[in-house]
Amino acid sequence: GAVVSQHPSRVICKSGTSVKIECRSLDFQATTMFWYRQFPKQSLMLMATSNEGSKATYEQGVEKDKFLINHASLTLSTLTVTSAHPEDSSFYICSASRPGRTYEQYFGPGTRLTVT
Amino acid sequence: AQRVTQPEKLLSVFKGAPVELKCNYSYSGSPELFWYVQYSRQRLQLLLRHISRESIKGFTADLNKGETSFHLKKPFAQEEDSAMYYCALLYNFNKFYFGSGTKLNVKP
């Protein structure tokens, strides 16, 4: 159990457009989901924490108006990159944790975003 | 502020040799540390957690508060251990700060 999926796995978009990435917990309810960004050959950087039914908490330096996060249900969180620019090109990874076990996060396979 | 340092980007060892992946941390609170592993073309997954004090796939890690370290060790490396290893610090109850990762390459 504890599988997290992401869709799409890869996306290419033009500069100025918006892209939505979905993160789903397939076999458990995730009260909290996390969004990370990973640059090539670098570590994962936490962007934001989202709790079902409430506003996401963004890490310092992350533009909340650019990276819109919605956690509408216990199994789905979405990250929308608005007005994407080439510098937004990156690998975006989500993770989810079960209620009461926030230390144990299950990671999605990631989404490769390329902005041309 | 919290910080996790993994000084080695790449570690190459021969099969059967001991391996130690280094991790140092900086955190003002009580640290809770983890090792995550990412095998080729797979997602990141939890390897072990310091509180559990368990051995997973032959790997162990001891938290040394005096040296602020949480090194990952295995006495006899196997080829299937080749992967990317990330040391992570849990802070604010549910947030992870990841180190930059060490790629372990176990040669036959």
Side-chain angles (χ1 to χ4, degrees):
Chain A
V3 178
V4 174
S5 70
Q6 276 183 247
H7 178 80
S9 57
R10 291 176 181 271
V11 58
I12 300 172
C13 70
K14 292 188 175 180
S15 189
T17 61
S18 295
V19 174
K20 181 185 283 188
I21 302 170
E22 292 186 349
C23 176
R24 292 181 185 273
S25 56
L26 298 184
D27 50 3
F28 67 101
Q29 292 186 329
T31 48
T32 307
M33 288 185 168
F34 305 84
W35 287 95
Y36 295 84
R37 184 171 179 175
Q38 186 175 32
F39 291 100
K41 303 194 181 207
Q42 293 189 35
S43 186
L44 288 79
M45 181 192 76
L46 180 65
M47 297 174 66
T49 303
S50 75
N51 291 294
E52 185 265 337
S54 61
K55 289 184 178 180
T57 304
Y58 291 81
E59 295 300 298
Q60 193 172 10
V62 178
E63 298 175 62
K64 61 181 180 181
D65 293 331
K66 179 162 195 60
F67 299 100
L68 300 179
I69 291 171
N70 183 275
H71 193 158
S73 76
L74 285 172
T75 59
L76 173 64
S77 176
T78 59
L79 167 69
T80 301
V81 183
T82 63
S83 187
H85 289 284
E87 56 264 33
D88 299 325
S89 298
S90 193
F91 196 56
Y92 293 88
I93 304 171
C94 74
S95 69
S97 61
R98 298 176 189 262
R101 296 171 70 91
T102 54
Y103 59 85
E104 194 166 357
Q105 293 186 19
Y106 301 94
F107 286 81
T111 296
R112 172 76 59 195
L113 170 63
T114 304
V115 184
T116 60
Chain B
Q2 59 284 336
R3 182 168 292 277
V4 175
T5 304
Q6 292 181 250
E8 304 138 328
K9 286 190 181 295
L10 173 65
L11 184 63
S12 287
V13 300
F14 284 101
K15 176 183 172 182
V19 62
E20 181 180 57
L21 289 85
K22 291 183 168 40
C23 171
N24 287 90
Y25 68 91
S26 172
Y27 185 51
S28 57
S30 182
E32 191 165 347
L33 286 142
F34 299 72
W35 277 98
Y36 276 83
V37 60
Q38 187 170 27
Y39 299 101
S40 179
R41 301 184 190 281
Q42 294 187 30
R43 66 191 66 195
L44 202 62
Q45 56 185 286
L46 177 65
L47 180 61
L48 55 79
R49 180 183 175 210
H50 94 265
I51 283 182
S52 306
R53 299 188 66 81
E54 56 192 347
S55 173
I56 303 293
K57 298 184 179 183
F59 284 98
T60 59
D62 291 317
L63 179 63
N64 185 322
K65 292 186 178 180
E67 296 182 358
T68 60
S69 68
F70 187 56
H71 303 328
L72 183 68
K73 300 177 184 179
K74 184 169 183 177
F76 307 103
Q78 303 299 314
E79 288 182 69
E80 55 266 29
D81 296 328
S82 294
M84 195 75 184
Y85 291 80
Y86 293 95
C87 182
L89 170 72
L90 186 72
Y91 67 101
N92 288 5
F93 303 110
N94 63 357
K95 296 183 180 183
F96 277 108
Y97 187 96
F98 284 88
S100 54
T102 297
K103 184 174 183 179
L104 175 63
N105 180 32
V106 181
K107 297 176 283 188

